Structures are given as structure tokens and as C-alpha cells.
Amino acid sequence: MPRRGSSRSAAGRDSQGRGTTGDGDAPERRLGGISDARSYTPRGRTVRDAGRPDRSADPFRPALQVLDGGRKGPVRRTPTQPARGSDRAGGRDDQDGTAGRAGRDGTGRAGSGRAAGREGAGRTAGGPERGRTGGNRAVRGPGVAPAPRRGTGRTATDRKQPVRPHRKPRPPKLASPNRRLRFGSFLALTLFAVIGIRLIVIQVVDTPAYADGGLAGRLSNPVVIPAPRGTIYDRDGAVLAHSVEARYVYADPTEVTDPAAAAAALSPLLGIPKSQLLPRLVPQKRPDGNESQFEYLARGVDIDTAKQITGLNIAGIGIHRDERREVPGGDLGANLIGFTGDDMHGLEGIEGRYDDVLRGVNGERIFEIGGGDLNKAIPDGYLKETDPQPGSSLVLTIDRDLQFEVQRILSEAMARVRATTGTVVVMDIRTGEVLAQASHPTYDAANWKPSKPTDREDVATSFVVDPGSVHKPIVFGAALEEGVIAPDGTLPVPATINKGGTTYRDSRNAQGAQMSLAGMMAYSSNVGTIMLADQLGPQRLHDYQLRFGLGKPTGEGMPGEAAGRVLDPKDWNGSSPGSIPIGHSVDVTPLQMTAVYAAIANGGTWVQPSLIRETVGPDGTRTPAAAPETRRVISPENAAALRTVMEAVTTVPGATGLKAAIPGYRVAGKTGTGSRVVDGRYAPGEVASFIGMAPADNPRYVVSVFAHTPGGGGGDIAAPTFKDIMAFTLLHYRVPPTGTEPPEFVVFPK
């Protein structure tokens, strides 16, 4: 069977290559060249090719067969072509080129023979031959019946069916380039619009977010700008403690190239041994596992010293602004003022108690820095700076000059009597202001680290003692106020008195004689005082103890002030009616007892002691301290009578407080000998005390002296110290001498 696209037409060719028609009537035509080659299509000849000479000799035939793929199969026919199964050039014969297939009979049945013929064999179209043309199908001539359909052997006429007109197949609809262009343009414009909108959003709407996101990686760590700490002044504006600008020295161990050499160079300038500096200069790990890049070497370094360190150009050593707390007086009022830590936070004393007032709010500076080797601030770059807010200042009630003299006198007296602990309080009776409050031992607040914790205690508010006989004026005042005894009354005072199995006696035996109230005060009669307390009763005595301020802190302003203890009557034991009136089984502080005597001197009105006079804000605004608490304890008349009775202590011959007398001034007071209470137990030794007021006829100041010594009474140890301090106080404040003489006291009226 001839290949598709390569079968011959119904017209044969002769031996000379000339083509003839099927009936032999058509004139001879020769075709050749490119134009003839173009006449062939992969599906065979068209209608135009019908009647043309045979082109089997066309030299382009093999090429066209290759283009058609050389395939065999059915050939699509045009409306003018005969149906498949119509006449074909017959078979092939390599010998004679005769027809290879038998023609069809009159019924249209095809024969079975096949003629073969190649070279020189022509094809006729006389009878309906079955077969296919190679590249061109047989075309019916005039009067020739249509070829039968393939596979039926019958023509359309035999089947008596009308021949349907065959529509020319439409070529496939090609894509429109205009549509593609429009779609591509729309897509491109859409993309450009989306990108443009997004750029506008990024650069206009989201600019701060993106800018900040990039900025975060270029910002430095916050640099703290220390806020100046408030100053502590005395009552006259003299500086007791203030802050000055300084520098701190730090090291980055990762950059220190020679730690040993750096330690040797810094040691003499910082005053720190090399053995302490070297561990901070060598590389070390922090608890989180990272290498330490910052170690403090010294805080509060003088600016001049810092400049010298900067001049050394030691790798890894840096200097930065700092603040240093200075106490010009050194140990002047140190136990009151206290100190701050390296971070400028108050730790003890007034610095600790009022840290929230004195300490300001630090500022900070954040700036943009370069990376790598350019780790410096970028000029005109991002900079955010928060100004520090300085702290407020405090004006104390303390008088610097008086404080200095009190401390000097106390220190000399404590050394003379070998006292381990001592204190002096000087108070203005009208206002409750503490003018001086000294402690022994003391320390240098400007260099507090070498001191012992016990040296830094404020003895006046933390020293808990059994007051001893200085407690007796409370009993006498209560007795006068309650009418138990008159100012000029007397009592028969026996040699001893027994309470709960404990015998109490006097150092000066009255042997049952009538003794005046002034005499009992002058000789510090234990028996007479217990007898007065018996007439008062436990509950009334307890009430007056509380009204005079015992059993709770005074609220002066010092941190950690002790409250003391006063036994409730229901807690008294058998000996309590004898011990409590004379100042035993009562826990007090020196400041509490000073306030008791100030109430007697102030006409019977108790005034809360105070250390803070006013607060000065950063803008200079002055705010006075809150008014002190006051309360009436005894009447002014009874207070005046009690002061007169107490003058007997410094004037009656043989009285316990003669060493407290000050020439030219009337002095009222009381001596005492008690015990120190430590952790609820009595410590070895005795606490000698004297508390007095002057001028007695018009009191201005109260001075109390307490000293814990190996032994000795208040008259011998504390009274002389009181005299020196009170005399200086009266002179310092220019109090004129008393114009009257003290009264003549009768101890044993007849």
C-alpha cells in the first residue's frame, strides 16, 4: 500500500515520464520545479491538481513525503475528492507496470486483484478502481460516477442517498495579539500600582515603625546622668552633708592588654592595693556565661585624679561622671546623719530614713552610634536626653556649733570614766527641736567602711536602759497631779520597804522620820517614792508613764528608734510595785526620758522631739516640717512645783546632783543609776545618768547625759558632763543668768 502523502494519482506516467489522464484523452503536461513542489500537500492533491500531468517524476516528491511523515493511513478528503474506497491506482509491479487491481463490476463491487507497477506504468480512470492516490486523489471527470465510500463498495447513487455538501473545516481560532497586549498591559499597570501604593505606605504611613526598627540596632545603651542628691543642712544653713561631682573608674577586662601593669599604675592613684585591683582587670565570666565587659574599680574619684588616670592611656580603662557624698565635719553628727552607698542610696541615719526625699531621679542619654571601629556617637544623629531631677534638701534642727562642742565634751568625759557607750541630747523645751544629739563611740561618715556597726549606732534612740532614779519625777508629778501629796507635804519614810519578797532601802536612812517632798527628791529616796506609788496605784502610775511618752517611739525621725517597754499592771509580779516606781523593770531610751523632762520644763505639756526643721525643694521652695505632736500631762502649776522640788537635787547639801550646779543659773534635775538591757537581759556595768533643765525658774533647754560604765552613779559620772554642756548651751544662746536665788529647802521638817 502506498504511504500517505506518497501515493500516485489516478493518472499514470509513461516510460518517458509523461503523464496521461485516466481516459487517455488529456493532453500531456510536464510539471517541475519549486512551483510544482508547492502544489503538493501532506494530504494529497487538491482539485486544482486534477487533470495535471503525473508528477511522480517530480524531484521534490521525496522531500514532501518526509514532511508528511511517511505515514500510512486515511486521507482527509475535500468536498471534490472521492470517498475512501473509490478508484485508486492499482497495485505495483516492478516488471511491467500494469494495473495491479481488478476493476469493479457493474454493481460496484471491487475486485480483489492488485496491480503493481512503478516505473513507466500509467493509471487509468476508466473504471472504478479501489485504492488511494499517493499524494493526489483521483478526480472525477465529467460523467464519471462518484467513487464508492470506503468499506461499503457502494457509491452514493447506489445507496440512493443525497450527497451532503461537505463544509470546509474551519482552521483553529488563533489567539488575538491585541487581547494579549491588553491583558499584559493591564497586568503590568496593576503591578506598578500595587508597588507604588506599597511604597507610599512604607515611606509615609509606616515610616516611624521602619525608621525605629533600623534605629534600634544603632542606639547606645542608656547613659545614666546622676541626679544630684539633696544637701543636709544644720538649722543655720551650714552644710552637714552634700554631693559633689566626681568620677568613677571602670575597666573592660576584655580590652586590658596587661592587667598586672595596669594594676600597678592605678594602685597609687586610687589608693587601692594591687591585689584588689588585679582580679577586676583579668578576663572573667559573669553568672550568665558571658565575658564581663564592665568592672568598677573606684567610685567618687576626684576630678584631678581622674585626669591623671586618663593621661596614662591604659587600654581598657575608662572614666565617667559620678557623684560623691561629702561630709565636711567628718564625725560631726555622723551617728545622726548616716551615710550613703556607692550608688548614692542612703543606708543609715537620716540619709537612710529620708532617702526618698534626698535622692533625685536620674536622667539618661541615648544616642546613635556607629558600628565596628566607629563605635562613637554619630554627629547630628538620634539623641534623646532626659534631664535628671535633683533631690530635695533637709534642714535639721541640729546646731552645728553646739553639736561639735557636745561631742567634744562627751568624748572627753567617756574617756575619763572609761565608758563604753554614752549619749547626750540637748532639746529646746518649747518646740521639741533637738539641738544636739551626740553618741559615743562615733565614726567618720565620710569614710564609714572601716568602722564597726556598733560605732555607727545612734545611742539616744537605740540605747535601751532601765532608767533608774531619773524615772522618779514621773511618780512625783503624778502624785502632785492626782493630789496624793502637796508640794510642801511630808511622808514618814522608814529605813526599808518590802515588796514581793524584795527589800528596798535608801542610801540615806531617814529612820522613819518625816521627810519633805524636796528631801525625798534631793536624796533620791527609794522608800519614799515607792510609798507615793502605792498611793497612786499601779493603773494610774501606768497611765502617767504612757502620757509622758514611754513605751513607744518618739517619732523624732531617726530610723530604727526603739520603743522601750512599760509593763501593763496585769503583767506586774510581786516585786513590780517596788521596782517600777524607782525605774527598774522599765525599758526606755535616753531620748524618751529627755522628752519627759522637757514636758516638766514646758509647763506640763509633752512635745514630740524632732530632728527635721524643713524641706527645701530643688526649686528652693521651703516646706516646714509637720507640727509636732503635743499633749497635756500635768498642769502648769504642778509642773512648776515639780521643777522647784527638783532644784533641791543641785542645792541641798549632800544631795546627789551637786556636781551639776552651774554658778549664776538655777538648775533643776535628777540623777539616776540603772542598767543596760541587751537582748532582754541586763548587761554588766551600770548606766549613770543626769537629766536637767535651766534656768529652772524659766527653763529654756533640757540636757540629758547617759553613760554605760563599769560602775558609778549619775552624780559622779553624768552630772559633771551635764554641767559643762548646759553651761556652754546657755552661753551659746546667750541666756542671761538667773536673777533670783533658789529657795531654801527643808529635808526633815519638825
Side-chain angles (χ1 to χ4, degrees):
M1 177 182 289
R3 295 182 181 177
R4 181 181 179 186
S6 61
S7 60
R8 291 180 175 87
S9 65
R13 298 189 183 213
D14 57 12
S15 60
Q16 281 79 25
R18 291 176 297 189
T20 61
T21 62
D23 54 10
D25 296 333
E28 179 182 350
R29 294 183 63 184
R30 291 184 60 87
L31 298 176
I34 293 299
S35 60
D36 292 335
R38 292 173 179 168
S39 299
Y40 290 91
T41 67
R43 299 188 181 276
R45 298 175 65 186
T46 64
V47 176
R48 291 180 182 179
D49 295 330
R52 291 187 180 181
D54 181 35
R55 300 177 183 176
S56 60
D58 187 353
F60 293 99
R61 187 72 175 180
L64 294 175
Q65 290 179 348
V66 172
L67 291 174
D68 191 47
R71 295 174 295 175
K72 300 177 182 179
V75 178
R76 180 180 296 178
R77 55 190 176 83
T78 63
T80 59
Q81 289 177 326
R84 295 188 179 182
S86 60
D87 297 343
R88 275 190 187 178
R92 302 172 185 171
D93 188 10
D94 295 335
Q95 300 297 329
D96 54 9
T98 59
R101 275 193 184 180
R104 297 178 184 265
D105 58 12
T107 63
R109 299 278 184 180
S112 61
R114 175 179 291 180
R118 287 182 182 271
E119 304 292 334
R123 290 187 180 180
T124 64
E129 297 178 345
R130 179 172 181 170
R132 299 175 61 186
T133 61
N136 301 305
R137 293 184 180 178
V139 180
R140 289 181 299 165
V144 179
R149 294 182 180 274
R150 182 180 178 183
T152 62
R154 291 183 301 170
T155 64
T157 304
D158 296 335
R159 296 173 59 185
K160 297 181 181 181
Q161 294 180 358
V163 178
R164 294 181 180 179
H166 190 280
R167 293 182 180 179
K168 184 177 181 180
R170 289 184 179 181
K173 190 174 182 180
L174 300 179
S176 173
N178 292 332
R179 293 176 60 189
R180 288 199 302 269
L181 181 59
R182 286 194 297 271
F183 178 76
S185 300
F186 173 77
L187 181 60
L189 291 175
T190 302
L191 291 177
F192 278 117
V194 171
I195 294 173
I197 294 172
R198 183 57 181 161
L199 288 176
I200 293 173
V201 171
I202 291 175
Q203 297 199 20
V204 177
V205 180
D206 296 339
T207 296
Y210 283 98
D212 292 345
L215 182 64
R218 300 190 301 273
L219 293 182
S220 66
N221 293 326
V223 177
V224 176
I225 305 176
R229 189 176 178 84
T231 302
I232 299 177
Y233 300 98
D234 83 332
R235 64 187 299 112
D236 297 321
V239 175
L240 299 178
H242 66 136
S243 297
V244 296
E245 184 178 353
R247 299 290 184 267
Y248 67 78
V249 182
Y250 67 93
D252 183 351
T254 62
E255 296 184 1
V256 178
T257 57
D258 191 346
L266 294 174
S267 178
L269 294 174
L270 298 178
I272 302 175
K274 291 187 293 184
S275 58
Q276 296 182 18
L277 289 175
L278 188 58
R280 307 177 198 175
L281 297 173
V282 297
Q284 51 192 292
K285 295 286 186 179
R286 291 195 174 277
D288 59 3
N290 297 325
E291 288 191 353
S292 173
Q293 295 182 326
F294 184 91
E295 293 291 334
Y296 275 117
L297 299 182
R299 299 289 303 269
V301 178
D302 290 336
I303 297 178
D304 293 338
T305 303
K307 290 180 179 179
Q308 296 180 41
I309 295 174
T310 303
L312 296 177
N313 292 324
I314 303 175
I317 304 300
I319 307 292
H320 207 278
R321 187 183 183 279
D322 197 12
E323 184 180 2
R324 184 179 70 248
R325 198 68 168 168
E326 281 192 350
V327 182
D331 64 350
L332 181 66
N335 301 72
L336 285 177
I337 296 171
F339 53 85
T340 61
D342 292 337
D343 57 357
M344 299 303 293
H345 286 196
L347 300 179
E348 289 190 13
I350 292 175
E351 294 274 23
R353 171 65 177 79
Y354 296 96
D355 182 65
D356 57 338
V357 176
L358 294 167
R359 177 165 49 89
V361 179
N362 291 335
E364 68 177 14
R365 181 185 296 112
I366 302 175
F367 50 89
E368 195 173 0
I369 58 175
D373 296 336
L374 299 177
N375 191 17
K376 301 294 182 183
I378 299 176
D380 297 329
Y382 177 86
L383 174 64
K384 180 181 179 182
E385 184 169 315
T386 304
D387 294 331
Q389 300 178 13
S392 298
S393 299
L394 292 177
V395 178
L396 305 186
T397 61
I398 297 297
D399 185 324
R400 181 184 63 173
D401 295 337
L402 179 61
Q403 179 75 24
F404 174 83
E405 190 64 19
V406 168
Q407 285 190 211
R408 183 190 66 80
I409 296 172
L410 176 64
S411 178
E412 292 177 355
M414 296 301 100
R416 184 173 60 251
V417 301
R418 296 178 300 149
T420 57
T421 308
T423 184
V424 172
V425 178
V426 180
M427 183 182 293
D428 187 327
I429 64 169
R430 294 169 296 182
T431 63
E433 293 180 345
V434 176
L435 305 176
Q437 188 166 306
S439 299
H440 175 84
T442 187
Y443 69 103
D444 183 359
N447 185 27
W448 59 270
K449 292 183 179 179
S451 63
K452 300 176 182 178
T454 54
D455 296 344
R456 303 194 294 261
E457 292 179 352
D458 176 56
V459 180
T461 56
S462 64
F463 193 48
V464 179
V465 300
D466 270 7
S469 294
V470 292
H471 180 269
K472 292 176 181 176
I474 295 177
V475 179
F476 281 61
L480 291 171
E481 188 70 15
E482 295 296 325
V484 172
I485 192 172
D488 57 352
T490 62
L491 282 176
V493 179
T496 62
I497 191 171
N498 189 282
K499 294 293 182 181
T502 302
T503 300
Y504 299 91
R505 57 176 51 86
D506 292 335
S507 58
R508 189 168 184 131
N509 189 358
Q511 298 180 356
Q514 291 287 334
M515 182 176 283
S516 66
L517 200 60
M520 287 186 285
M521 184 72 72
Y523 295 139
S524 191
S525 173
N526 292 331
V527 177
T529 304
I530 294 172
M531 293 174 66
L532 290 174
D534 286 342
Q535 297 183 49
L536 280 172
Q539 188 60 53
R540 285 197 292 181
L541 176 58
H542 179 261
D543 291 343
Y544 276 93
Q545 286 178 321
L546 297 180
R547 291 165 66 180
F548 271 110
L550 304 187
K552 64 178 182 180
T554 65
E556 176 199 37
M558 288 298 294
E561 181 182 1
R565 183 190 62 163
V566 176
L567 288 176
D568 191 273
K570 68 178 183 296
D571 297 324
W572 285 22
N573 56 28
S575 64
S576 294
S579 62
I580 290 177
I582 62 176
H584 297 287
S585 300
V586 180
D587 298 339
V588 300
T589 64
L591 182 63
Q592 287 174 330
M593 293 307 303
T594 306
V596 169
Y597 281 67
I600 296 170
N602 191 39
T605 300
W606 183 88
V607 180
Q608 179 185 18
S610 61
L611 273 175
I612 308 300
R613 197 173 196 186
E614 61 182 359
T615 303
V616 182
D619 58 352
T621 304
R622 294 179 176 269
T623 304
E629 178 187 349
T630 62
R631 59 178 174 269
R632 173 74 64 183
V633 181
I634 59 177
S635 66
E637 296 78 14
N638 288 323
L642 182 57
R643 289 197 302 270
T644 301
V645 169
M646 294 171 65
E647 282 189 78
V649 176
T650 61
T651 59
V652 171
T656 58
L658 294 177
K659 294 182 180 180
I662 303 173
Y665 293 91
R666 293 171 62 178
V667 177
K670 184 67 182 76
T671 58
T673 303
S675 303
R676 182 179 183 182
V677 180
V678 179
D679 297 331
R681 296 184 179 183
Y682 291 121
E686 294 178 322
V687 176
S689 59
F690 188 94
I691 308 175
M693 61 200 74
D697 57 335
N698 185 22
R700 293 283 305 277
Y701 308 104
V702 169
V703 174
S704 65
V705 180
F706 286 76
H708 184 208
T709 65
D716 295 329
I717 294 176
T721 305
F722 165 86
K723 174 184 177 180
D724 294 341
I725 294 174
M726 179 61 83
F728 179 84
T729 302
L730 296 172
L731 180 63
H732 178 68
Y733 291 112
R734 300 177 181 179
V735 177
T738 303
T740 60
E741 295 293 329
E744 294 288 339
F745 295 103
V746 178
V747 178
F748 298 103
K750 293 183 180 179

